Amino acid sequence: MAAHRPVEWVQAVVSRFDEQLPIKTGQQNTHTKVSTEHNKECLINISKYKFSLVISGLTTILKNVNNMRIFGEAAEKNLYLSQLIILDTLEKCLAGQPKDTMRLDETMLVKQLLPEICHFLHTCREGNQHAAELRNSASGVLFSLSCNNFNAVFSRISTRLQELTVCSEDNVDVHDIELLQYINVDCAKLKRLLKETAFKFKALKKVAQLAVINSLEKAFWNWVENYPDEFTKLYQIPQTDMAECAEKLFDLVDGFAESTKRKAAVWPLQIILLILCPEIIQDISKDVVDENNMNKKLFLDSLRKALAGHGGSRQLTESAAIACVKLCKASTYINWEDNSVIFLLVQSMVVDLKNLLFNPSKPFSRGSQPADVDLMIDCLVSCFRISPHNNQHFKICLAQNSPSTFHYVLVNSLHRIITNSALDWWPKIDAVYCHSVELRNMFGETLHKAVQGCGAHPAIRMAPSLTFKEKVTSLKFKEKPTDLETRSYKYLLLSMVKLIHADPKLLLCNPRKQGPETQGSTAELITGLVQLVPQSHMPEIAQEAMEALLVLHQLDSIDLWNPDAPVETFWEISSQMLFYICKKLTSHQMLSSTEILKWLREILICRNKFLLKNKQADRSSCHFLFLYGVGCDVPSSGNTSQMSMDHEELLRTCTPGTSLRKGKGNSSMDSAAGCSGTPPICRQAQTKLEVALYMFLWSPDTEAVLVAMSCFRHLCEEADIRCGVDEVSVHNFLPNYNTFMEFASVSNMMSTGRAALQKRVMALLRRIEHPTAGNTEAWEDTHAKWEQATKLILNYPKAKMEDGQAAESLHKTIVKRRMSHVSGGGSIDLSDTDSLQEWINMTGFLCALGGVCLQQRSNSGLATYSPPMGPVSERKGSMISVMSSEGNADTPVSKFMDRLLSLMVCNHEKVGLQIRTNVKDLVGLELSPALYPMLFNKLKNTISKFFDSQGQVLLTDTNTQFVEQTIAIMKNLLDNHTEGSSEHLGQASIETMMLNLVRYVRVLGNMVHAIQIKTKLCQLVEVMMARRDDLSFCQEMKFRNKMVEYLTDWVMGTSNQAADDDVKCLTRDLDQASMEAVVSLLAGLPLQPEEGDGVELMEAKSQLFLKYFTLFMNLLNDCSEVEDENAQTGGRKRGMSRRLASLRHCTVLAMSNLLNANVDSGLMHSIGLGYHKDLQTRATFMEVLTKILQQGTEFDTLAETVLADRFERLVELVTMMGDQGELPIAMALANVVPCSQWDELARVLVTLFDSRHLLYQLLWNMFSKEVELADSMQTLFRGNSLASKIMTFCFKVYGATYLQKLLDPLLRIVITSSDWQHVSFEVDPTRLEQSESLEENQRNLLQMTEKFFHAIISSSSEFPPQLRSVCHCLYQVVSQRFPQNSIGAVGSAMFLRFINPAIVSPYEAGILDKKPPPRIERGLKLMSKILQSIANHVLFTKEEHMRPFNDFVKSNFDAARRFFLDIASDCPTSDAVNHSLSFISDGNVLALHRLLWNNQEKIGQYLSSNRDHKAVGRRPFDKMATLLAYLGPPEHKPVADTHWSSLNLTSSKFEEFMTRHQVHEKEEFKALKTLSIFYQAGTSKAGNPIFYYVARRFKTGQINGDLLIYHVLLTLKPYYAKPYEIVVDLTHTGPSNRFKTDFLSKWFVVFPGFAYDNVCAVYIYNCNSWVREYTKYHERLLTGLKGSKRLIFIDCPGKLAEHIEHEQQKLPAATLALEEDLKVFHNALKLAHKDTKVSIKVGSTAVQVTSAERTKVLGQSVFLNDIYYASEIEEICLVDENQFTLTIANQGTPLTFMHQECEAIVQSIIHIRTRWELSQPDSIPQHTKIRPKDVPGTLLNIALLNLGSSDPSLRSAAYNLLCALTCTFNLKIEGQLLETSGLCIPANNTLFIVSISKTLAANEPHLTLEFLEECISGFSKSSK
């Protein structure tokens, strides 16, 4: 466009410039500023090529803006900013104006632009605060305009002069004449102006003449300052035409000056006109003067006289002073050599001039202070340039008692001398360096007074528009003197800071000072400047102070800080500065914080340059490390930097006396400061800098964020330089170096949106691994601010109302920029998006960085044991469990998470939605993975509160909202594969939370919103399963089975009733989502039915399989029906048919997964579908078969040996060893099994591991754990730990023969030998009998001990190899923790756990047949003490009577040690003989199964909290969970019967009869036992064994009652001699379970009397109406029970827990399942002959009607609970809105109920009835048992049979099955089969089928028989 249509393009750019002006866009922010600057630059560049277009466009914009009507302060400010921007752009465009501009352009410029510019110069009112700036800007435009368009401007001035010559009015407009002051004037233009004015001067009125006089003077200085060379040349080559004009005008003006007043007005111009005539000056300096020049000489004389004070008028004296200063100033532009006369003239006046101007006792003043100051500065600068070494007046100005004006003049003069040195002969500032000390003192005092003044008075904001002089004048009468003084100090301070900025040497210079003093003065200077940076009420000073500090940080300046020790001084002072600034930044006490941050970045760059330069020079010194504190043991907590850094402290810490050793060279920080308490200042500074940079990352200002990110690069550079010097790793200085570098690289990215940038920032924050003082403090500070901001947001309307006006004004100034300032103001403006955005950014920051803070806290948490991974030397010590930190709810991270979760349901009327959405997104997408476990636990705890104590859902809008938010968060979190998420996802289980989510969502109903939530939840389940490998499940199979049960309940839930199309679509979406979730859940899932009633495990599995398989088949049929309907209605929406195809595919996949994982229980039940009468069903089933073949299903599970194989694999899994020797499952089991079962576990583990030749590895892991937890050698294996029990068991099993062989002969000698018959061994004098001799007894004991000891140490060759292995392992493990005496541990343990117990109790150990006599027992006990002392390598000290044996003990230390070394130093090779284990019969394997089953949840939790991913992973646990699911629950293990042994009981006659007929051997009796009608399990709180009788499992007429009594008798027999208790489960008991009268009476006579007496309690559970009627009918028989206290009626499991601990209860699962997921409707009325109040509970499979009033049963008041399963409900009818009837099978009359919510009750019951119907299979004939080898033939028959079908889709499915069979079983069919979708199989394919059959018969003969068998049965079933 720019190339082809330039005009339109330029106009577009101009329009964009116009639209983005502040007056149009409102208040500027960083983004709009950048945009405006960009537009400006663009226009300036274009103006070089399309000048006139740009200028005319800008002129039009300026005109329009000037004509705008504005209201209000903000609009006025925006107008002024817009005008400034336009004027500035114009000035720069005009400055670059091309030379070839046409005349037409010039006319246009003048016509359009000049009037607008003049408007600014003429009309800017003095009162307007922006007037001066606008005037300056406009004058700049005019100056640029006049460069190339002088004629046009001159013409305007000339015309006005002409007009004024003929004007008769007195008050004339002289504005155009004043344009002379602003235009660009060179020599030629000045001549033109002089000519023009000289020509018209006389004709002008007085006002106009004075304007000309004033303006011409300014025009002269414009010329001199812009073209100094032309003026210098004038004195080298005088120009007569200039001189003529000047002289002519001089004479005219001289004539005008008649009165004193007029003289005073014209003298300044006259002296200038005289200066323009060098020759006249030459002439009047002579004694004889030309007559024409006489008036000039007289003028000079009167000037001198007036200057000396003899002029008679103060007015003239002042005018003379001005004229003289002008003369001095002009003379400095003339080279001395060119014209010395003018200098003589100057010297003749300068002394008087100085006396007049610089007199402290009588300061010069003429009523206008600004003008006086300017005059004095001009004078001082000129005098310096004329005579630099005559500095008397400098001293006057420097004097402390001089007026502050003098100080101000001096400072500004020095600044001008430094900055304005255009001419070669002007002297440089070096001459003033000698005054550095005085200047520094002045700076210190001024700073003190200015800051003190600010503290004492209200902060005064300086507007940069007005100069110091104008301000002071304007304030003269308005403020108190103190305010005025403060104000003047501020302006002096500003000038001083500018002076430092201009030349830092001037104040750094330290002539003849020692190093420490130099450092002190530098510190004072820099400290002063640093103090000014945060002064928000002095923004201009603050800005200048920053510039000055930047200059002071330049390389050459830093060297001057202290030339004696530059590096140390640099570290000290610069670090203090950084610390102070960053502290202020983090507390948000600065307004322009982004600018300060940019400046800080420049400082960091300068620091690094200096460090780089000094890197090599200072390698010898260790000051880097020392100053930084590397190697010092310093606590780096977040609060280390809480120092009060006011001026004095800053100064104190920077001065050398406190922290630097005096003297030259490598002085370094005092070590005391470095390592004992507060960290060195360098580290503090770095920490504070890190904190500041971190906290800027959440700024709503994008620029601030990018600047902060770029600063990280300089931090890294500094670390690079430092580690280069000190040869230390860079991570010692910056642990998060790598992430910081990434931050830096991102800061260079192209400008990006605010949201995208924050996303990037949070991603990087999550990658920060190491907690440091910096990031911890940043997190905590941000958290505090976030908490405050959150409160303000939530209280927003209230806070706003209360604060009223104060708050409003606060917003206008500060709040809109930084929300953090609100902290002080207590209010927040939510209309300002920045405030909310900042809160969102803070939230994201806290989420992303929280993990590091958690990590830092958890390091101090309690250590929990983790299994060792590899050699101890490489191990990382005990792994820290993350849970330890979560337990502490007081941690800030925990509080933050709690607050976040509460905000998930924030209902704030204005920002509630935004907060909820943002919290959901940030927690789901940006949370640090380390916080996942905490989040999961908190979500779980919160959601668990949505259920009451009975498990009822508490349905509220807030709870639903929370659930919906949780689902979204979890889905985001699991979908989002954040780096590091895998490591942390598994540290907390989400099973409980997920189940509770589903339980809650289930009751939401079928409204649109509820369906949407359900759909989202299904999607979450699918994502959860996709991340299964990263998550940890404690009871995965149980959990997944439950989830399948719940989610299949939603399939086809409402699709049939829904009428609305949208709801239909939503329902289909829910079907789809449910099925996709179910597909993922069923993958590899063994079905795990609840314990069936009288059904064995495989049968229960088959029933469950059929339930799901049928449901899926019904869903497929439903899809087909809908498709058919759509076809008939003319092809419904395409979307619906696509949905149905997808749903169909999912369902087939679900059926495949179901069958694949449950081939053993499913295949024979479903294979009949291959011959189903419905062809569509057949085709679908073949798709399922094809899919399972493709999935690689293993048919081995159909084998008879499958159970043994699974037990074999279970043992393999437990004994499985990791890469580094760890035993994940075994060690997990060891950590979670309760100590009461340790003996059993020790037996199981040792036996199984030894059978696998892995005993050594087991011992290594067990001993390592024990040793790791031991405090010292002395406590090793002394406790009753699992490791001790394993060791004891090993000694017992493998050492029994050795002990027998070793001790039996010795003991027999002692007991039977005649020598020892009457010997006593008692050595305790207090127990000695009178006839015994102590010495003799000691000798006897010693003799026996010696004999035993030598026998033991001589038996090493006999020592069993397994025990050698135990000792060797123990020796090796202990050596690594306690190397000094590890062999001692072996000996100590061996004697303590092995030899001494056998010596002390030989009878119990099985060595002797009977107990030894007491005296010998006593001797053996004493001997064991001596032997244990030898083994322990310690002497007797406490027992006085044992001390005599110390010599013997000591003398045998070495012998014992040699023996221990002998048995422990070599490990025998593993025993080659395999210990065969018959798995099913082996009690150890069954015990293992039980231990694993009962503890699998704890094992899961243990592994998830402690696992090292890289070493173990979760595979072993997954395999274990799957195997346990296949094996099912272990048999109820009766309580160990040692307490209740009743072996001597006499049997009853009944028992004798049954035994005699060998009833227990009969199949019928064995079948009865498997029904679990009566069983023993657990103990009561009283410690009695408990028996369970499940009434519904007994079927009258089907089960022989006598057999039942016999079974009960046998089960009770071991226990009934002692007290016991019985639980009778009457759930759903009815007529079919009754005991007939004669049978009932038998129960009271068959057992022995005491068996009845010992029944402590009978708990009747779930008594119902039928039982009540039954007890009434048999009242006579049951009289004994009536009113019995032993009879306790229980109506809920909670009540049962009062008598039996929850974990000891073993009620059938089917009974307990009735209590789950209930919808309860209270206050219903059951209508009958007597109406009763009831509660109706609708569960997932049954309806319970529970009476609300008690009824008498057996003399006790009880609640009745009638249960009706879905399968029994025949009809449900809604009579009206308050009444319904229920027809139950086998009950004559329907039940009638009344309730207010009848419709809801009826819908719930219909739902469970429908679900039951959907899962009821058609009558599929069960196939005979299929063996693995039958599978190919069976499936082949189905394929070939259906290949000949008339249905094309069935043929296609059969063909694909044939292809899959060929691949899976590698069937050799000649010629390839092509498997593909959409293949058309012809109907006449008989030849094809026959040829395949022939080929198979030839190539696979083993298939023929199976194939034929299946063929025969298949044809009989097939409809074809």
Side-chain angles (χ1 to χ4, degrees), residues 858-876:
S858 68
N859 288 347
S860 58
L862 296 168
T864 60
Y865 174 73
S866 167
M869 311 301 175
V872 179
S873 56
E874 295 169 18
R875 219 177 300 148
K876 306 175 196 165

Side-chain angles (χ1 to χ4, degrees), residues 51 104 283 481 610 629 635 687 714 852 890 939 951 963 1049 1102 1130 1229 1531 1554 1599 1642 1854 1905:
F51 181 73
L104 191 66
D283 183 51
F610 176 78
T687 298
H714 308 300
V852 168
D890 295 338
L939 286 172
V963 163
D1049 201 34
S1102 299
L1229 189 60
E1531 291 175 21
M1554 298 300 267
I1599 295 173
K1642 254 189 199 182
L1905 184 61

Side-chain angles (χ1 to χ4, degrees), residues 1752-1803:
K1752 287 279 184 188
V1753 177
L1754 293 176
Q1756 297 199 34
S1757 297
V1758 300
F1759 292 114
L1760 301 179
N1761 189 23
D1762 293 324
I1763 293 162
Y1764 308 106
Y1765 283 106
S1767 55
E1768 298 174 299
I1769 299 170
E1770 290 186 341
E1771 188 185 13
I1772 177 162
C1773 177
L1774 189 64
V1775 178
D1776 58 40
E1777 59 185 25
N1778 291 328
Q1779 190 172 339
F1780 72 95
T1781 61
L1782 204 58
T1783 308
I1784 305 296
N1786 304 324
Q1787 284 199 13
T1789 53
L1791 305 170
T1792 308
F1793 297 94
M1794 288 185 74
H1795 194 271
Q1796 290 175 327
E1797 296 178 64
C1798 276
E1799 193 172 347
I1801 299 173
V1802 168
Q1803 283 301 326

Side-chain angles (χ1 to χ4, degrees), residues 89 105 899 911 991 1279 1337 1437 1452 1557 1873:
T89 313
D105 290 347
R899 192 66 191 261
V911 289
E991 287 160 313
N1337 285 2
T1437 52
N1452 284 301
H1557 285 82
L1873 289 170

